[in-house]
Amino acid sequence: MSALKPQLDAINVRLIGVGLEELGLDDFLKGEFFTGDLFLDLKKQCYKDLGFKRLNFFSLFPAIFAKTSRDAMDKAKKEKIDGNLKGDGMQNGGILIVAAGGKLLLSFKQENPADHLESSEILKAVGVKTEDVASPTPVSNGAEQPASPSEGGAKGSSVDQPT
C-alpha cells in the first residue's frame, strides 16, 4: 500500500491504516511498512463493525497452507520482509475506499490472510487509469480471478467508481 502513497498524494487521497495492537508497532513504524496515517483500535471494534473475518483454530491452518499464503510468504522472503508469530494473527482486515462526503467507492474483505487487492484495482477505484487493471488476483483456494470487480473478480465489491 505504501508504494501507492505518492500516486494517492498527487490526487489528494489520504492513506489511512487501522492497527489492532501495540505489540510490534515500533518496529512496524521504524521499518516504514506503512507510510500513511496509522490509528490503533485496541478493542478491534471497527473490525467487528465492518465485518472483517476473524480466523479460529480450525480455519487458521488451512488458510496458512493455502497456495496464496505460500506464495505471499515466498514474496515476503524475496523482499526480505521478516515476520514472527507474535501478536494477533487471527484477525483479517480489508480495504475501504471512501470518497469525500462518505461515498463508498470500494470495499474489500480478506477471507484468508494472504488475500489482497492488486495496486491497479486500488488506483482504478480512485480514478487513476492503469494499463494493468485486469491482472489476476489470487484468492484463497489458489485459483485466479480477474481483478476487475465488474468482471466478477476480487472479493471486494466495487460500489461506484469515479469516471
Side-chain angles (χ1 to χ4, degrees):
M1 284 299 291
S2 291
L4 296 178
K5 189 162 183 347
Q7 290 171 287
L8 297 174
D9 285 347
I11 57 172
N12 202 28
V13 173
R14 285 179 67 193
L15 181 59
I16 299 172
V18 179
L20 52 93
E21 62 190 345
E22 293 178 7
L23 181 65
L25 181 61
D26 288 335
D27 291 335
F28 187 76
L29 294 172
K30 287 177 191 171
E32 296 183 354
F33 294 107
F34 186 81
T35 56
D37 299 325
L38 188 60
F39 298 88
L40 287 179
D41 178 5
L42 300 177
K43 294 181 181 178
K44 303 175 192 160
Q45 191 61 49
C46 73
Y47 289 83
K48 294 173 192 166
D49 291 346
L50 294 168
F52 289 149
K53 183 178 177 182
R54 184 164 177 77
L55 298 174
N56 60 42
F57 179 78
F58 297 106
S59 61
L60 177 65
F61 290 103
I64 289 174
F65 294 112
K67 181 174 180 356
T68 53
S69 294
R70 293 191 318 270
D71 291 346
M73 287 185 265
D74 288 343
K75 182 178 178 184
K77 283 181 189 175
K78 288 177 186 171
E79 295 179 11
K80 298 186 185 336
I81 298 173
D82 296 9
N84 60 42
L85 298 177
K86 297 176 183 173
D88 183 353
M90 302 289 212
Q91 181 65 60
N92 281 336
I95 296 175
L96 295 177
I97 300 178
V98 181
K103 183 177 182 181
L104 183 63
L105 301 177
L106 185 129
S107 175
F108 170 81
K109 294 178 183 179
Q110 287 180 305
E111 291 296 319
N112 288 301
D115 292 347
H116 67 283
L117 288 178
E118 296 296 331
S119 297
S120 59
E121 296 173 80
I122 295 163
L123 292 172
K124 181 180 176 186
V126 296
V128 174
K129 304 291 182 212
T130 64
E131 297 295 321
D132 192 30
V133 172
S135 63
T137 299
V139 293
S140 58
N141 66 2
E144 290 185 348
Q145 261 179 293
S148 171
S150 62
E151 297 173 18
K155 287 184 171 127
S157 61
S158 176
V159 175
D160 191 13
Q161 296 181 2
T163 52

